[in-house]
Each structure stands twice: as structure tokens, then as C-alpha cells.
Amino acid sequence: MFRRPSLPANFPELLTKTFESAVKSGDLIYTESTQESATDNGVDVRYTFAPALAKKPTKEDNAADEKTEKPKFNPFEKPDPKLMLVPDFGDYSLVLNKYAIVPNHFMCISKKVIPQTAPLTPNDLEHSYAALQAAQSDGTKYIGFFNCGPNSGASVDHKHIQFIQLPKGFKPFPESVIKAKGRDYKPGQQPLSSERVPYAHYIVPWEAEWAEEDAEADNDAEVPIEDPVAEELGFKFSTVLSRVLTELRVNDAPSISYNVVFTDKWLMAVPRSKESYKGISINATGTVGLLLAKSQEQLDLYKEETPLKVLTELGYVKPIEEEHPEYDY
Ligand code: AMP
């Protein structure tokens, strides 16, 4: 019988307890940071200033292993038991990120060694959606994200989807796109985008939101709202992935790099042209305006050059509608 992936009802409590004890024992390195809110062209931006982050292993450290012909260390092949949240979640384990800037940063990692460059499968998406829902069951809002390819900001080549709490009061721009245009979106249509954002990005809504609203409007709160299942998530993801591949193809990109960010209401993908700009490396979280600065210089650079310009440098200029090819990829 088909069973939806499910997690213990006390998952938020398990997350907090495991996080706190791993910080206490020194198995998890938690970097305190300061936050600053801003907007750019009406898009919410949140700077996180964390100078101590420089200690975290980077892609360059892993590349150094390659140069010295040391076998590349895969921290997810045998996850640290002190960081383990749920060992058996279908084909996945849920583990804490060893280097956290926000409390309870966790990941859904494949039990098998699967390269991070493999596309997300319907099974990956369904389990990620369920993990996000479980983390949110105490009312805390999370985003999930996936960094794929050499220019995406990924550092570990083993399939992993990550989850962090959304900062209080921060509204990622896809939220307003979904509010304005999501209800009319039909699966299979061209993905949605924001007029305020100059870099290529593709947004699709999940349907659960409309079902919830419709049930409330009918005063029919007793009707159980089903979360989207694997096939629906997979189909919607395939429409954004094909747009990403088209953008990379028309720009002669030498490799496939993109970021994915999702909540329980929407998913967005952003094709990437570069990993870093003037020494600032960003991953998926940056594409929704959550910008990390590891030094005062980086923070100043964001402000001087403006976040949307930096992000456009790292992605592709959003194509004008008419320039779209007849078909995707
Ligand atoms: P990414 O950089 O997007 O590939 O994500 C990989 C994440 O794994 C990074 O955010 C690291 O902080 C985290 N990480 C690195 N080593 C470990 C480890 N031994 N255990 C858990 N998380 C780790």
C-alpha cells in the first residue's frame, strides 16, 4: 500500500534537542551572526554578517584534497551519529548541518552515495516536502534548498537537500508572485517570475495552498487537505528544470549549475553562470535575498553594487518574453 513519508510528531523538539546537545558537545559548530534587513527594488533582502564563517571547509578545501590526490572526503557517506536526527526516512537520513549559522539547520541526505549533480527525483521532492512540513509543525517557517553543479555554491558531492528557518519578518519574493499569479497557474504552463527581479528565475506553485483556501471558503474545515504527492511535485519540478536547461543551453554554459529553493507553497529554480563574484560565493539561499557576508568588505560590496546586480552577475539576465525558444531544452 502507498504510504506518504511521515516523521515523528515531535520532530521540531527532536531538532532543537539534538542541535543543542551537538553544540554543547562541540560536534556542531554554531556561528553567531548579526542580521540586517534591507530592500532592493521592492525585494526583501536580509544580510547575515558572520565573520567567523571563514573557518568552514569550502569547495576549495575539497579541491585541495583532489590536488594532493587524497581521496575526497564525503561527510555524508557515514554521517556523524551526534548529528543524526532520523536515520531511516525511506531512502534518506535527516542529519544536522555540522556548520550552522542558524539553529536547527538540517539536511535530507540520500542513504546511497548519489552525486549532487543528479537531478531531484519525485521521491527526493516528496521526502523533502514532508521533512519541511514536519519541521514547520510547531509554527516555525522553513525553506528547503538544493545547490546543484559546479557554479551553484555546493561543496559536498553527495545528494543533499537542506532546510533552514526563515528569518522572522522576511518575505522571500516568490511569495508575492504566488499570491498574485499562483491561483491561475496550470501544471505544465511556463513557470512564473517576478517583474522586480532581473535575473532568470522560474517559480511554480504547489497546489496545497489553493485547496486549503477553498476549503476555508466553503466552511468545510473538516475536509482533509492532502499534500502534493511525488508525481505532482516531480512534474512541476520538471517544468522549471527544463527552463533552467534551456537558459544554460542558449548561453552556451559549459556545465549544468542551478539552485532550487522551496517552501510548502512554491518552488523556484535559478540557473547559475558563476559560483562567485568579487570573492563573494553564494548558494541557493542568496537567490531569495538571504545574503551571507563573511567580512565587512563583502557586506559593503553588496550594498555598493546592490544585491540584485550581484545576483544577476552570478546567474543570467532574465530573457525578454519573445526571446523564449519555441520549446524548452
Ligand atoms: P553544500 O555546501 O550546499 O554542498 O552543502 C553541504 C553542507 O554540508 C555545508 O553547508 C556544510 O556546512 C555541511 N557539512 C560539511 N561537512 C559536514 C559534516 N561532516 N556533517 C554534516 N554537515 C557537514
Side-chain angles (χ1 to χ4, degrees), residues 4 68 98 117 134 144 153 156 171 173 222 258 268 324 326:
R4 281 168 186 280
T68 55
K98 189 173 177 66
T117 43
V156 176
K171 281 204 187 325
F173 71 84
E222 295 304 305
Y258 60 96
M268 174 175 81
H324 277 167
E326 286 292 301

Side-chain angles (χ1 to χ4, degrees), residues 56-57 73 75-76 80 83 95-99 105 107 116 145 147 153-156 160 162 283:
K56 195 173 138 171
F73 175 61
F76 302 158
D80 183 343
L83 302 176
V95 295
L96 287 168
N97 189 311
K98 189 173 177 66
Y99 305 92
H105 181 165
M107 297 175 290
Q116 182 71 354
F145 60 98
N147 302 317
S155 61
V156 176
H160 57 285
Q162 310 189 52
N283 71 15

Side-chain angles (χ1 to χ4, degrees), residues 44-304:
D44 254 16
V45 168
R46 186 69 60 99
Y47 297 113
T48 298
F49 182 50
L53 254 189
K55 286 183 202 143
K56 195 173 138 171
T58 61
K59 208 168 88 172
E60 281 68 38
D61 294 327
N62 287 350
D65 278 356
E66 252 166 39
K67 276 189 207 121
T68 55
E69 287 177 15
K70 264 198 265 169
K72 207 168 169 181
F73 175 61
N74 176 357
F76 302 158
E77 197 170 351
K78 287 195 189 79
D80 183 343
K82 298 276 178 49
L83 302 176
M84 184 59 78
L85 296 162
V86 179
D88 288 311
F89 184 42
D91 297 328
Y92 311 87
S93 300
L94 299 181
V95 295
L96 287 168
N97 189 311
K98 189 173 177 66
Y99 305 92
I101 309 147
V102 283
N104 300 0
H105 181 165
F106 75 101
M107 297 175 290
C108 180
I109 63 179
S110 58
K111 284 184 188 163
K112 284 192 196 152
V113 178
I114 297 172
Q116 182 71 354
T117 43
L120 292 172
T121 64
N123 197 33
D124 295 339
L125 289 160
E126 189 174 47
H127 282 78
S128 300
Y129 192 97
L132 184 112
Q133 293 279 58
Q136 294 196 142
S137 61
D138 65 352
T140 312
K141 290 282 166 212
Y142 274 78
I143 53 165
F145 60 98
F146 178 67
N147 302 317
C148 184
N151 293 328
S152 68
S155 61
V156 176
D157 190 21
H158 178 134
K159 206 178 226 187
H160 57 285
I161 297 112
Q162 310 189 52
F163 303 85
I164 55 166
Q165 296 170 6
L166 268 176
K168 290 220 161 53
F170 178 79
K171 281 204 187 325
F173 71 84
E175 208 170 279
S176 50
V177 174
I178 293 304
K179 280 216 159 64
K181 311 183 207 169
R183 188 178 268 276
D184 296 331
Y185 180 84
K186 301 276 174 297
Q189 283 179 349
Q190 284 289 341
L192 306 171
S193 65
S194 167
E195 288 83 22
R196 296 178 185 277
V197 173
Y199 49 90
H201 63 280
Y202 311 107
I203 304 168
V204 283
W206 303 135
E207 246 137 47
E209 180 166 25
W210 325 126
E212 266 167 44
E213 283 179 10
D214 291 347
E216 274 165 28
D218 286 353
N219 275 337
D220 202 358
E222 295 304 305
V223 175
I225 305 304
E226 299 267 293
D227 287 332
V229 291
E231 289 70 26
E232 184 185 341
L233 300 173
F235 178 57
K236 295 233 180 112
F237 176 67
S238 74
T239 64
V240 299
L241 183 60
S242 61
R243 289 294 301 130
V244 165
L245 294 175
T246 302
E247 197 55 28
L248 294 171
R249 175 174 62 80
V250 299
N251 285 289
D252 295 325
S255 63
I256 295 174
S257 293
Y258 60 96
N259 297 121
V260 175
V261 187
F262 59 94
T263 64
D264 55 348
K265 311 281 190 225
W266 49 264
L267 174 141
M268 174 175 81
V270 176
R272 292 289 299 274
S273 61
K274 293 187 210 80
E275 205 260 332
S276 62
Y277 175 68
K278 297 191 179 173
I280 302 183
S281 162
I282 75 136
N283 71 15
T285 53
T287 66
V288 281
L290 296 173
L291 300 172
L292 267 179
K294 297 183 188 176
S295 65
Q296 187 62 46
E297 291 72 42
Q298 291 193 352
L299 190 59
D300 294 343
L301 188 89
Y302 272 129
K303 291 179 183 175
E304 276 156 29

